[in-house]
Amino acid sequence: MTKQVRAARTRQALIRSAAIVFEQHGYGEARLALISSGAGVSTGALHFHFENKAAVAQAVVAEASHGLLEVSTNIRHRTDTALQTLVDTSHALVDLLGRDPVTRAGFRLSYDGERCGEPGLPAQWRRCVGELLDEAATAGTLAEGLSRHDVTVATVAATTGFEVLGRHDSAWLSARTLTGFWHLLLPRLATPETLPLLDPSGTAAAKEAVAAGRAGHETSGAGAAAPS
């Protein structure tokens, strides 16, 4: 194993460990010693990659942001309409929030009062929703007279709200819950011609994109973590 590969795996192990520690203890109470021990490395190895706790948190948010972008891009390539892309991406996001500690920590760090003022995943998700609604409007699949701003706000509020509620009840982060949301909203969003073509429960594209992203991360992080 080359030094570069070993260093990359160590960094990924530290990011994942940090996500778990931030999720369990919050940013303020998280300790670098816990993060390094969770990754199976020394604090010296952690400081080789990250200057301080703020840098670790930024790396977690960046990793979660990259994952969300990767999933949304993969889904867009697999779907026929922007509205189905929106539905599928929301399902993929909820799946990630339920399974992936890095995604969960990325969102929670974005809400953390001690890190206020930094851009985060809710803002990225809001841009994604807005862009897909703009695309749907251009394609003529979005119902006329609809406020895209209001739809964006409602969609982001609901999906990120599921994450908050899901901290105490996993049913909120279920495909069934999100499908019910889209059953209510899609008839208001889509034109009569487009609505029958949409699947509120999500298509296979959502699961395929999440699986592809998960496989890529497992490949890049395979093997035991070792100091750089």
Side-chain angles (χ1 to χ4, degrees):
M1 185 188 303
T2 66
K3 182 177 180 180
Q4 290 83 356
V5 171
R6 188 166 62 248
R9 291 181 175 178
T10 298
R11 191 176 193 278
Q12 285 300 118
L14 285 166
I15 289 173
R16 186 171 184 83
S17 176
I20 294 170
V21 171
F22 286 136
E23 184 178 7
Q24 292 177 342
H25 301 281
Y27 178 78
E29 297 301 319
R31 297 291 178 263
L32 294 180
L34 282 175
I35 295 171
S36 60
S37 64
V41 301
S42 66
T43 53
L46 184 150
H47 284 292
F48 176 84
H49 293 277
F50 304 107
E51 180 180 359
N52 50 34
K53 185 167 66 173
V56 180
Q58 288 171 358
V60 171
V61 173
E63 182 75 9
S65 174
H66 174 75
L68 177 57
L69 177 61
E70 184 178 42
V71 163
S72 62
T73 300
N74 287 340
I75 289 173
R76 190 65 192 98
H77 291 158
R78 289 176 164 91
T79 49
D80 296 327
T81 67
L83 286 179
Q84 189 64 61
T85 299
L86 176 57
V87 172
D88 283 10
T89 304
S90 71
H91 275 281
L93 174 59
V94 165
D95 181 79
L96 285 170
L97 287 169
R99 297 173 181 267
D100 179 36
V102 175
T103 303
R104 288 196 301 272
F107 270 88
R108 296 182 191 187
L109 285 168
S110 300
Y111 304 138
D112 197 298
E114 296 188 50
R115 301 184 68 255
C116 62
E118 296 185 31
L121 266 71
Q124 177 184 347
W125 175 226
R126 181 170 184 162
R127 286 194 303 272
C128 178
V129 173
E131 288 169 1
L132 288 170
L133 290 174
D134 289 344
E135 186 178 337
T138 300
T141 58
L142 198 66
E144 294 184 6
L146 202 64
S147 167
R148 279 173 261 170
H149 170 77
D150 290 347
V151 175
T152 300
V153 169
T155 302
V156 173
T159 48
T160 56
F162 292 156
E163 185 276 322
V164 176
L165 293 166
R167 299 179 193 181
H168 306 289
D169 182 355
S170 61
W172 286 102
L173 287 174
S174 68
R176 179 179 180 180
T177 298
L178 187 58
T179 298
F181 168 76
W182 286 118
H183 268 299
L184 288 173
L185 196 59
L186 282 177
R188 184 73 177 87
L189 290 187
T191 62
E193 299 78 16
T194 304
L195 184 60
L197 306 176
L198 302 175
D199 185 351
S201 64
T203 69
K207 292 182 179 179
E208 290 168 0
V210 171
R214 188 179 300 128
H217 286 302
E218 288 175 355
T219 300
S220 64
S228 58

